[in-house]
Every structure is written in structure tokens, then in C-alpha cells.
Amino acid sequence: MAMVILSDWLAAQLDKTSVEPAYRQLLQLMQQAILTGQLAPGTKLPSSRLLAGDLGIARNTVLHVYDQLGAEGYVLSTTGSGTYVADTRPDSAAVSPRPDAATRAVPGPSPRGDMSVRGQRLIDEAGVSARQWGAFMPGVPDVAEFPARTWSRLQSRLWKSVSPDLLTYAPGGGYRPLRRALSDYLRVARSVRCTPDQIIITTGIHQSIDLAVRLLADTGDRAWVEEPCYWGARSVLQASGIKLAPIPVDDEGLDPRELDLRHPPRIALVTPSHQYPLGMVMSLARRRTLLEYARQHKVWIIEDDYDSEFRYGSRPLASLQGLDDSGQVIYVGSLGKLLFPGLRVGYMVVPERLVGAFRTGVAELYREGQLMQQAVLAEFIMDGCLTTHVRRMRTLYGERRQLLIDAVTRHFGDALPVMGDEAGLHFVLGLPEHCDDRVVTAASYDAGVIVRPLASYYFGKRQRQGLLTGYACVPHEAIGPAFATLARVIETHAFGTRRTAGTVGTASTPRERVA
Amino acid sequence: MAMVILSDWLAAQLDKTSVEPAYRQLLQLMQQAILTGQLAPGTKLPSSRLLAGDLGIARNTVLHVYDQLGAEGYVLSTTGSGTYVADTRPDSAAVSPRPDAATRAVPGPSPRGDMSVRGQRLIDEAGVSARQWGAFMPGVPDVAEFPARTWSRLQSRLWKSVSPDLLTYAPGGGYRPLRRALSDYLRVARSVRCTPDQIIITTGIHQSIDLAVRLLADTGDRAWVEEPCYWGARSVLQASGIKLAPIPVDDEGLDPRELDLRHPPRIALVTPSHQYPLGMVMSLARRRTLLEYARQHKVWIIEDDYDSEFRYGSRPLASLQGLDDSGQVIYVGSLGKLLFPGLRVGYMVVPERLVGAFRTGVAELYREGQLMQQAVLAEFIMDGCLTTHVRRMRTLYGERRQLLIDAVTRHFGDALPVMGDEAGLHFVLGLPEHCDDRVVTAASYDAGVIVRPLASYYFGKRQRQGLLTGYACVPHEAIGPAFATLARVIETHAFGTRRTAGTVGTASTPRERVA
């Protein structure tokens, strides 16, 4: 493209009515012309004075564009002799190097798609839901009840005089006053035995498991997971190359078979206080056996204690960590279900001999920060707001749980069992064997009610059909109507359109019955 | 232990003057007695009335303790016949299963320590510093200049009327208004071409790289990394089982040798706008060659654009992503260096065909939240505060950079080269070949000044000695004194105690020279 043609082309392209400044337009046009080869390497550009005149724009604009083209390597300027288009064409020898004999001898990787094998599996098996709020989303607390005003007041006060230390990266382990507050809380509430030093603040259970697995297990190592278990934990383990060995659970919790016991895993991930998702408690005999097995075979136990503060009818049960004398347990928990999930604050309690490694590891892998939020949280806990809130929510969720159980019983009698309702934020509503819980879940979602199919939690063949049904985040008065919708969906899929034995009333008049 | 002995033992142990409530003391004592076998399985416990009388505490306390012991499986109660210690001894057959022939035939894993191989390597090679603030910490902005009051005002306003949606888990991708604000910002500031949908909010560069690597590469896949490069990125790649292929850089950036080119990697991680840590800009010809190579060989390019907003003397250079026509570039950036590192907000721009997978992946692997903070940030950007702050900091950091360069020149003449000072928050101060930058760093740390050795950034044999010296977070008036300290350390290690050629004045009177 000769100079005069360039000016004409640019003049035709420039849109002086656009909100895009002339500088940006001209820069992009010239870059495009050079990249596409319209302006060939070696072409001399018109002088800035000439081009500015031709285009009717300020000469300074053209000068800035030429400067930027020079800085980015599109053109070369030689003082006195003008500005030339640089040769920036890709080096074809570099793009397609001549393969050598050694390379030919080694079979290349098989052709792959965009994703990796593990990435594709992660996406294919993902359990995460598109909606995260509403009846009967399991595992989500009622964030509308969170004392946002108290939180905001503490936050405003701390932001009034900010120390630079709290705005930069966190030292490994997290904000010390928060670790101290948490160790006090965990000792009383969860019978966890630890010093503040043993606490590592993370962004939640996912990060805690991720860190433990990367520091303690290698690609190809095996992990026992409960069958069924939380899909998210499974995804995190698999994304780190861990092979999963699903171990059955019965009424006493984890129940390894003799064959399982003969092959000690590197890691055992368990939910002893409240099996997720089925809800049973691991018996003391099983706990002691597991701890002794772990000690003898050097198995790391990850105890995921995600929601056992909410136990209805009895005090919370002690953690497995509190029974551990040989330092084989990594205890992980989160404040998301106690306060609000978006908080993204979790913690892990690690044996003393691992403290140094975990502090370095968390800083090296994730570059933690969020110290201002940790400071707010520390004040919140030290002011007693955490225990007050948990106590209040325990009562509230207990009432909602009862309302929902009553609705189930009124509608289905004992045709559908309610499982694992002693603690937590959800229970499992059993479905008849012939009924596909995934199909019921999808139909329920379309009708506006969220549940989760038990199927998502099984790694191998699912052993029962059921729906994880969360009551915590549903206001009392919304439970009846939402359950009526769910009941209609279940009836259609589980019993055709027939009413079941125990049904009293009809699904179309639920409001009167529950309100 | 007979009943009477139990009462005596408990009476001796109970400390009525302790702040620990009698309930907790008694519960723990009885648990301990059962776990250690002092109270054997089958032993009948005294009635609550009797024990309460013997210990002189309320009967209700004993009842609560018995209830909790029952709930946790320590004791069994039979109505009418009393409370007995349960048999919770570990199942010895389960703890030490009889190995079978098949197991014996397979060689077991070699004995390992507490850590995994990858965990140990991560810790051994960790680059993270114990201190994160102070002269001359590289890569840290001046958080004391952050408009905390403006931020706090926006934050208080948003917390006044909190929507539950913003307190629960984030949908994959992050808060939509923030993604829109970022896409506008990146288009203008970094010539990134994207829609808001292509933006995935993360907690920073580490998480962005982690997600990309897990979704796009498998264990054993190779990644090109620049040599030298950021140690943190290397750690993240290795923790996901990626093999590193260090590629040399020269004045034009990444410079793969013919042998490198013959083995296309799965991923190429590059810092084209401002090579980290050396500071050069990748030339346009190299960019075009890399893009074409990536297109032909299906290489994913991760463009880490971590601080190129701070370019002194010319406008910021366009991103590599903006030149990419075939969707091979994953662009990653962070707001940590623009605002404050503790914020933990990063973003990635992914090609359209990967948007769905990345949204699912980020939610599945990390369960994101922090939407309230994202909302504050979106308002901050939309109000123009981000661009104002960046502009102000560019001027400030530019002045500090000049002060520090002047101090170097005054003290060392041209004996120590200053490299990569055109942009960013640090430059590299070259040291003589015989001088170990790790040793200088340690001595400087002891003297109260933080720098980082170039050695930490080399994967293979280091090719030069130098110190990453950050000026951004050091107030103008502190630069002189801190540099005087650093200069003394360098002199001792690099030149014995002799003064170097270009030295004017002495290291002990730096204040007068710089102030």
C-alpha cells in the first residue's frame, strides 16, 4: 500500500463521530494493516505532519500513534530518515521446525481436544449447581439471618485505621488473633485439641483438602472416600491425581471391607460427626479402630467437620481429632455454613510436626491475603457473635427441619423415609428404588425447587435413590408451598399420578395444611 | 475400677476452682478413663444420683455427662438396668488384617515420610518470603496509598442492604457487573479483546494458572516457562504434575531453541509485556511467531500480565491476547498490584469455546464466593477510582524508581547494572559474577532490608547474579536510608570492604545525599 493509498484507506476507516478516540482508532487501524501485510515490511510511513493533514486530525495524535507503534515494535524510526514498517512476520522455521530422527522415533502424544483428560472428567462429573440459593438447596445456611449490621459496623471500624500489614499478602497460616479465637472456639465447641499455631486459615474446605493432598500425597496415591460422599471433595482429590477407593458406610459410619484394609491408602477422607450426605455418626469403636489403623499404616486422616455445630436434640459430638494421640488427623472446617458461604474462610488444624510445611505451602501455592476480613471475623468471634448466631440458627433450623419433616409425613406417611436428620442443614428424602433421583431432581428444578440427587454423591454404583433436601435457607412460611411443589414432582415420578398410602389432603392445597 | 474407686478418682481429679465447667471436666475425665481402659467395657457406672452426691455437684450435670457419653458411644444405657461402659476397643483384626497372597506378591510402596514427594519439593523450593512489606520488597504496591476511605464508604453502602445472593456461593465466573467493568477496563488499558462472558474472576494469578493447568493439561504434560520466571507460577505448575521446560529469554523475550521447538509443549507460560523478573518486552516478531506456533501445534499460551499498567516513559504496551486470532491465549491478571495484594481478586480471559468449562471448573474446584467484595470492586472501577489510582501510583512509583536509580548510580556508578526498570514495581540490580545473590539477600534481610535473589527465579543453572529490588512500597524519604543499608551489604559481599569506582560520598551518610 503506497502512502497516498494508506492515507485514503485510513481516512475512509476513521470514524470521527465514534466515542472511540481518534488515537485508538488510528493505532488499531495501522496495527491491523501491518499485521495483515497490507502495509508490508520496509514500507515507509508518511510523515506525521502529512498524515495528520490528510486525515484532518491533530499532528500530536499521529505522533503518539507512531510512538506507540514504535514502542510495540510495529515500526522502526531512524532519526532523519523516517519511520518504516518493521518485519514482524512469524519465523516460519521456528513455527514448523524440521523434526529430527530422535523425535520421529518417539511416538508423539495422541491428538487431543482443547481440554485435558482430568479437566474433561472434572467438567463431566461436576456436581456444582447453577443456582445456589432457594428452597430446598442443601448445605446452604440462611444468609438473610446473618447479622450483617454487626458485621458491617466492625468492618467500618477496622477500615477507619488500616495498617499496611493487613492489606498485603498474608503470612502463612493467617491472621494470628483469628487463629487464637478459632482454637478457643474449636476446643469448646468441637473438642478439638490444638494451639493457635496449629491452625491454618484457608478459603474453605476445598482449599484445605487441596493443600493437604498436595503436601501429603502424590499422583497415583490412593485415598479412601466414603461411599457416598461430597462430590466437591472427590473432584479436588481427583484433580490432584489421587485414585479414589470408595469405602462403604453403614449405620456406624465408615465400614472398610477386609480387602480395603489390606491395602492401606495414603489418605482417608471422612465425615465422622455427620456423614455427608447420609447423616450417620461414626461410632466410637470405629473411630478408635480407624485411628489405630492410621497410626500403624501411616494413613493421613482428613476429618471434614462441615456442619456438626447444628445438631438437634443433643449437644454436638466430639471430633475425631480430639481422640487422636499420634498426630495422624488433619481436621478441616469452614465458617461458611455457620455465617455465610460467600465469606470463604475455612481452617485446618494440622499436627504440630506439619505446621511449618503447611504454613509455607499455603503461602507458596495460593498467596493468601484477605487479612482485613480475617480481622473483622476475629472481632466478631471474640465479641461472642459467632456463638450467639450459631445458637440462634440452631433453634431456627431445628424448627424448619421439623416443619419439613411434618410436611413429608403428612404427605407421604412412611412411604418415603427421612434419613440423617439429626444434624446439619439437610436430610435425605429416600425415593422408591424404581425412581431415578436425577430425573426427579431435574423435574423439580424446572418446577422451581432445588434438591440434589443422591446419585451425584456415589462414585460407583448408587445404592439408594434419594434427594438431598435442605431446609436451613428456607423461611418457615415458604416451606409448605415449596414442599407441595416438590411433592407433586415426586408423586408424578415415583407413583405415577396416584396418591400414596399415607397421603392426607392433596398436593394442590398445601398452603392451608402447613401454614 | 470399681464404682467406689471411680468416685474417689473423679473426686480427686475434679478441680472446682477451675474456670473449666464441672460438666466439661467430668466428661473429659470419664472419656479418658474409658479410652485408657481404666473403666473396662461392661463396667456398670454408678447412678447419677450417687455419683453427684459423691462428687458434690448437681445431679443434672452428671445426667448431661451421661447423655453425652451415650450420644458419643462411650456408654450404653438400658432403661431400668443402668448405664454400662461400651466396648469401643479398636478391632485388632481390622487394624492388622492378614495379608493375602496377592498383596504379598505386589511390592508395597517404599516407606515414606510425612510429606509427599511433590509436597517436599514444594516446601524445599518455596520462594515465598516470611516478610511481605517494607523496603525493598519487590512486587508489592504501596498499600498505604490505597484510598481506603473511598473503599470503606462503598463497602458500608453496599452492606446496608445486602441481598442474600451476594452472601452465598458465587456462580462460576463471578459477579457480572465486575466482569463487565473489567472487560471495559482491559479493552482500553491492555488492548484485550473480550466480552464480559469471557472473564472468569479468581482469587489471583495463582488460582488462574492452577485452574487453566488442571483443565487444559494432564500430569506429565510439559509447560514452557521462561528462564528465569516467577517461582510461584513454577510451584503451581509442578504441584499439578506438569513437567517444566525452561526456555531462555533474551532482549526480545522468549527465545526457544530449535530443540525446544521440535517438542511442542501443552502450555507456554509467558510474561510478554514485562518479563518477570528481568523486565524486557517480547518483540512483535516473537509474539507473532509464538502465536502461529501455538496455533499450529495446539499449544495453550498463558499470558501473565501482572504489572504492565505501570510503564514509565511510554504508554502501556498491548497484550499478546489482543493479537490472538485463533483463541490459543488464556490471559491472566490481578488487581492485587494495582490496588492491594490482600484483596485477592484476579481474573482470566478465556477463549469463547472454553467459557462453559472454565465457569464450571472454577465453581467445582474452589467453590468461589466473595461477591460482596466483588460488588464493592465493581463500583470502585465504575466510579473511575481504579484508573485514577493507577494514574496517581504511576507518577508516584516513577518518582521512587528514579530516586532509587539515582542512589544506585551515585553509589556504584555503572559498576552495578540496573535492568528492567522501564515498567513494573521493581528492577533487577545486577551483581558481579563472583557474588552469590542468595548470600547478599540473607545478609540484607538481617540488616533489615528485603530484596530477592535472582537465583530463586532460575529453574536450572542461574545465568546471572542480581537482586530484585522493589521501590513501589517505599516512601520517598525512606529510599535513601534503606539503600544505604543495602549498599553497605553489597559492598561487603561484592567488593570486600573496598569502595567501588563510581562511589561518591560514603554509605554512612546517605540521608544527606538523597534527601
Side-chain angles (χ1 to χ4, degrees):
Chain A
M1 199 173 345
M3 276 195 209
V4 55
I5 305 180
L6 173 67
S7 296
D8 288 351
W9 179 75
L10 289 172
Q13 301 290 323
L14 264 186
D15 178 2
K16 292 192 183 166
T17 65
S18 166
V19 290
E20 194 81 353
Y23 166 80
R24 282 190 60 82
Q25 287 190 56
L26 184 59
L27 179 64
Q28 282 169 2
L29 287 168
M30 296 199 69
Q31 286 173 335
Q32 185 190 325
I34 293 169
L35 289 174
T36 56
Q38 285 175 276
L39 277 174
T43 308
K44 185 175 182 180
L45 295 187
S47 73
S48 54
R49 186 186 309 272
L50 202 66
L51 186 58
D54 283 351
L55 298 179
I57 60 178
R59 188 181 164 208
N60 247 346
T61 303
V62 178
L63 277 174
H64 282 315
V65 168
Y66 279 20
D67 275 356
Q68 190 70 10
L69 288 173
E72 296 190 356
Y74 286 83
V75 301
L76 300 166
S77 293
T78 324
T79 319
S81 105
T83 304
Y84 295 84
V85 174
D87 186 358
T88 61
R89 288 169 300 182
D91 175 355
S92 59
V95 169
S96 308
R98 187 179 47 80
D100 62 1
T103 310
R104 274 195 304 269
V106 180
S110 51
R112 282 199 297 185
D114 284 340
M115 307 285 288
S116 61
V117 175
R118 64 176 163 196
Q120 194 61 55
R121 184 174 57 189
L122 181 79
I123 302 307
D124 291 344
E125 297 177 2
V128 70
S129 167
R131 277 176 61 194
Q132 298 286 353
W133 180 250
F136 292 107
M137 180 81 193
V140 174
D142 192 348
V143 296
E145 294 290 334
F146 177 71
R149 200 177 277 181
T150 305
W151 182 268
S152 181
R153 186 172 42 76
L154 292 171
Q155 187 168 253
S156 298
R157 210 185 62 213
L158 285 166
W159 272 91
K160 273 218 180 80
S161 53
V162 178
S163 142
D165 279 344
L166 296 185
L167 292 183
T168 189
Y169 298 109
Y175 187 59
R176 201 174 155 77
L178 177 60
R179 287 190 277 134
R180 204 161 43 223
L182 281 174
S183 72
D184 288 345
Y185 171 76
L186 291 175
R187 190 174 55 80
V188 175
R190 309 293 309 115
S191 300
V192 166
R193 295 183 294 183
C194 71
T195 63
D197 276 349
Q198 288 175 262
I199 293 194
I200 309 281
I201 309 289
T202 67
T203 60
I205 301 250
H206 281 235
Q207 193 181 78
S208 297
I209 296 177
D210 191 58
L211 180 62
V213 163
R214 288 175 173 206
L215 290 184
L216 303 176
D218 283 303
T219 298
D221 278 347
R222 285 163 60 256
W224 281 3
V225 292
E226 295 166 328
E227 174 78 335
C229 78
Y230 173 46
W231 44 265
R234 224 162 46 206
S235 286
V236 171
L237 290 168
Q238 288 189 306
S240 280
I242 303 300
K243 286 192 199 143
L244 302 185
I247 308 292
V249 294
D250 65 9
D251 289 348
E252 289 189 57
L254 196 75
D255 186 27
R257 294 147 297 195
E258 208 189 327
L259 191 68
D260 300 322
L261 293 164
R262 276 194 215 131
H263 300 89
R266 179 68 175 167
I267 280 175
L269 176 61
V270 290
T271 51
S273 295
H274 186 221
Q275 202 278 333
Y276 197 79
L278 296 176
M280 68 283 280
V281 174
M282 192 186 290
S283 72
L284 188 58
R286 290 271 176 86
R287 286 171 190 238
R288 296 182 71 183
T289 302
L290 179 62
L291 285 169
E292 184 55 26
Y293 181 80
R295 192 183 66 77
Q296 284 198 19
H297 302 278
K298 297 206 162 216
V299 179
W300 289 111
I301 299 172
I302 303 180
E303 176 180 16
D304 177 359
D305 196 18
Y306 59 99
D307 71 359
S308 48
E309 274 89 352
F310 298 117
R311 174 156 288 275
Y312 312 108
S314 72
R315 287 168 197 253
L317 306 178
S319 65
L320 184 66
Q321 194 269 2
L323 289 176
D324 173 29
D325 288 323
S326 49
Q328 294 296 124
V329 175
I330 317 279
Y331 176 91
V332 307
S334 153
L335 287 155
K337 297 199 194 305
L338 302 187
L339 301 177
F340 59 97
L343 180 65
R344 307 319 296 144
V345 175
Y347 46 82
M348 51 205 312
V349 179
V350 302
E352 273 177 32
R353 67 188 185 284
L354 294 185
V355 166
F358 272 70
R359 274 199 205 158
T360 302
V362 74
E364 180 82 9
L365 271 180
Y366 316 110
R367 298 292 340 249
E368 289 303 282
Q370 294 285 8
L371 289 174
M372 284 301 287
Q373 184 183 267
Q374 291 182 21
V376 176
L377 180 57
E379 298 258 328
F380 189 85
I381 298 176
M382 290 185 293
D383 286 0
C385 304
L386 174 66
T387 43
T388 307
H389 183 63
V390 168
R391 206 177 304 126
R392 202 164 76 79
M393 290 303 102
R394 195 184 290 131
T395 306
L396 194 80
Y397 299 162
E399 291 165 5
R400 291 176 180 177
R401 162 184 164 274
Q402 198 55 56
L403 281 175
L404 188 54
I405 291 176
D406 291 348
V408 171
T409 313
R410 262 201 306 277
H411 203 101
F412 291 108
D414 48 13
L416 301 185
V418 168
M419 297 176 278
D421 61 318
E422 298 82 7
L425 309 175
H426 77 280
F427 56 69
V428 175
L429 184 60
L431 293 179
E433 275 310 299
H434 67 272
C435 186
D436 186 332
D437 53 20
R438 286 187 195 268
V439 174
V440 176
T441 299
S444 168
Y445 190 89
D446 290 343
V449 173
I450 309 172
V451 287
R452 296 185 72 94
L454 209 43
S456 311
Y457 299 80
Y458 281 101
F459 183 63
K461 207 172 122 304
R462 71 181 121 171
Q463 279 133 39
R464 22 182 149 183
Q465 306 284 343
L467 303 176
L468 270 76
T469 313
Y471 42 80
C473 72
V474 194
H476 290 45
E477 65 279 9
I479 288 178
F483 182 72
T485 303
L486 178 61
R488 264 197 303 277
V489 172
I490 294 176
E491 278 182 344
T492 310
H493 287 83
F495 309 104
T497 51
R498 288 171 301 121
R499 298 270 173 269
T500 59
T503 309
V504 289
T506 69
S508 52
T509 57
R511 204 174 282 269
E512 297 85 310
R513 286 182 288 124
V514 177
Chain B
M1 197 173 346
M3 276 193 208
V4 55
I5 305 180
L6 174 66
S7 295
D8 289 352
W9 179 75
L10 289 172
Q13 302 290 321
L14 264 186
D15 178 1
K16 292 194 182 163
T17 65
S18 165
V19 291
E20 193 82 354
Y23 165 81
R24 282 188 62 82
Q25 287 190 57
L26 185 59
L27 179 64
Q28 282 170 2
L29 287 167
M30 297 199 69
Q31 287 174 335
Q32 185 190 323
I34 294 170
L35 289 175
T36 56
Q38 286 175 274
L39 276 174
T43 308
K44 186 175 181 181
L45 295 187
S47 75
S48 54
R49 187 185 309 271
L50 202 67
L51 186 59
D54 284 353
L55 300 178
I57 60 177
R59 188 182 164 207
N60 246 347
T61 302
V62 179
L63 277 174
H64 282 315
V65 167
Y66 279 20
D67 275 356
Q68 189 70 11
L69 288 173
E72 296 191 355
Y74 287 83
V75 300
L76 299 166
S77 294
T78 325
T79 318
S81 104
T83 303
Y84 296 84
V85 174
D87 186 359
T88 61
R89 288 170 300 183
D91 175 355
S92 59
V95 169
S96 307
R98 186 179 47 81
D100 61 1
T103 311
R104 276 195 303 268
V106 180
S110 52
R112 282 198 296 186
D114 284 340
M115 306 285 290
S116 60
V117 175
R118 64 176 164 196
Q120 195 60 56
R121 183 175 59 189
L122 181 79
I123 303 306
D124 291 344
E125 298 177 2
V128 70
S129 167
R131 276 177 60 195
Q132 298 286 352
W133 179 249
F136 292 107
M137 180 80 193
V140 174
D142 191 348
V143 296
E145 295 289 335
F146 177 70
R149 197 177 280 183
T150 305
W151 183 267
S152 182
R153 185 172 43 75
L154 291 171
Q155 188 168 251
S156 299
R157 211 184 61 212
L158 285 167
W159 272 92
K160 274 218 179 82
S161 53
V162 178
S163 143
D165 279 344
L166 295 185
L167 291 184
T168 189
Y169 297 110
Y175 186 59
R176 201 175 154 77
L178 177 59
R179 287 189 277 134
R180 205 162 41 224
L182 281 173
S183 72
D184 287 346
Y185 171 76
L186 291 174
R187 190 174 56 80
V188 174
R190 308 292 311 114
S191 299
V192 166
R193 294 182 295 182
C194 71
T195 64
D197 277 348
Q198 287 174 265
I199 293 194
I200 309 282
I201 308 290
T202 67
T203 60
I205 301 254
H206 281 234
Q207 192 181 79
S208 298
I209 295 176
D210 190 58
L211 180 62
V213 163
R214 288 176 173 205
L215 290 183
L216 303 176
D218 283 303
T219 298
D221 278 346
R222 286 163 60 255
W224 281 3
V225 291
E226 294 166 329
E227 175 79 334
C229 77
Y230 173 46
W231 45 265
R234 224 162 46 205
S235 286
V236 172
L237 290 169
Q238 287 189 307
S240 280
I242 303 299
K243 287 191 199 142
L244 302 185
I247 308 292
V249 294
D250 65 8
D251 290 348
E252 289 189 57
L254 196 74
D255 186 26
R257 295 147 298 195
E258 208 190 326
L259 191 67
D260 300 320
L261 292 165
R262 277 193 214 130
H263 301 89
R266 179 68 175 168
I267 280 174
L269 176 61
V270 290
T271 51
S273 296
H274 186 220
Q275 203 278 333
Y276 197 79
L278 296 176
M280 68 283 279
V281 173
M282 191 186 290
S283 71
L284 188 59
R286 289 271 176 85
R287 287 171 188 236
R288 295 182 71 183
T289 301
L290 180 61
L291 285 169
E292 184 56 25
Y293 181 80
R295 192 183 67 77
Q296 284 198 20
H297 301 279
K298 296 204 161 218
V299 178
W300 289 111
I301 299 172
I302 302 180
E303 176 179 17
D304 177 0
D305 195 18
Y306 59 98
D307 72 358
S308 48
E309 274 89 352
F310 298 116
R311 174 155 287 276
Y312 312 107
S314 72
R315 287 168 197 253
L317 306 178
S319 65
L320 185 64
Q321 194 269 3
L323 289 176
D324 173 29
D325 288 322
S326 50
Q328 294 296 124
V329 175
I330 317 279
Y331 176 91
V332 307
S334 152
L335 288 155
K337 295 197 195 306
L338 302 187
L339 300 177
F340 59 97
L343 179 67
R344 306 320 294 143
V345 175
Y347 46 82
M348 52 204 312
V349 179
V350 302
E352 274 178 34
R353 67 188 185 283
L354 293 185
V355 166
F358 272 69
R359 276 200 204 158
T360 302
V362 76
E364 179 83 7
L365 272 179
Y366 316 110
R367 300 286 347 243
E368 289 303 282
Q370 294 285 9
L371 289 175
M372 283 302 287
Q373 184 182 267
Q374 291 183 21
V376 175
L377 181 57
E379 298 259 327
F380 189 85
I381 298 176
M382 289 186 293
D383 286 0
C385 304
L386 174 66
T387 44
T388 307
H389 183 63
V390 168
R391 206 177 304 126
R392 202 164 76 81
M393 290 305 101
R394 194 184 291 132
T395 305
L396 194 80
Y397 299 161
E399 290 164 6
R400 292 175 180 177
R401 162 184 164 275
Q402 197 56 55
L403 281 174
L404 187 53
I405 292 176
D406 290 349
V408 172
T409 312
R410 262 200 308 275
H411 203 101
F412 292 108
D414 48 14
L416 301 186
V418 169
M419 299 176 278
D421 61 318
E422 299 82 7
L425 309 175
H426 77 280
F427 55 68
V428 175
L429 184 60
L431 294 178
E433 274 312 298
H434 67 272
C435 187
D436 187 333
D437 52 20
R438 286 186 194 269
V439 174
V440 176
T441 299
S444 168
Y445 190 90
D446 291 342
V449 173
I450 309 172
V451 287
R452 297 185 72 94
L454 208 44
S456 312
Y457 298 80
Y458 281 100
F459 183 64
K461 208 172 123 302
R462 71 182 121 172
Q463 279 133 40
R464 24 182 145 181
Q465 306 284 344
L467 304 175
L468 269 77
T469 313
Y471 42 79
C473 70
V474 195
H476 290 46
E477 66 280 9
I479 289 177
F483 182 73
T485 303
L486 178 61
R488 264 196 304 276
V489 173
I490 293 175
E491 277 181 344
T492 310
H493 288 84
F495 310 105
T497 51
R498 289 170 301 123
R499 297 269 174 271
T500 59
T503 308
V504 288
T506 70
S508 52
T509 58
R511 206 173 280 271
E512 298 84 312
R513 286 183 287 122
V514 177

